[in-house]
Amino acid sequence: KTVGAEELLIDNETGKLVSIGNIEQIADAVGEFLNDENLRRKFGENARGRAKEFFSLEKMISETEKIYRAVI
């Protein structure tokens, strides 16, 4: 797990968080995705929705404007 990853990824909803360097966890997570098309599709749809909600161009502009207005 790295700083920032949890902002982008929700464990078991939009992906799998694994510990840095834990080869067994990485292999297990990759294996789950390789063997389960429905899981890949579900996580992909969830991740796409989260990206649109929190990281769209419009959202980033709006949030940046809020910061500028707060400091002016």
Side-chain angles (χ1 to χ4, degrees):
K1 298 178 184 181
T2 63
V3 176
E6 292 174 348
E7 178 183 357
L8 299 172
L9 190 145
I10 300 171
D11 195 26
N12 290 315
E13 186 176 317
T14 60
K16 297 279 186 176
L17 285 174
V18 297
S19 299
I20 294 172
N22 188 323
I23 303 302
E24 187 174 313
Q25 283 183 348
I26 295 168
D28 288 345
V30 169
E32 282 186 69
F33 287 119
L34 287 174
N35 294 316
D36 191 337
E37 181 179 344
N38 291 328
L39 183 68
R40 292 192 307 267
R41 183 169 286 122
K42 176 182 151 191
F43 280 22
E45 290 171 357
N46 291 345
R48 188 176 303 108
R50 182 166 173 77
K52 284 182 179 180
E53 181 179 356
F54 292 101
F55 304 105
S56 69
L57 179 59
E58 293 81 12
K59 179 74 171 182
M60 300 310 289
I61 290 170
S62 172
E63 293 300 315
T64 302
E65 285 178 343
K66 285 181 189 177
I67 293 168
Y68 283 144
R69 292 181 202 286
V71 298
I72 293 178

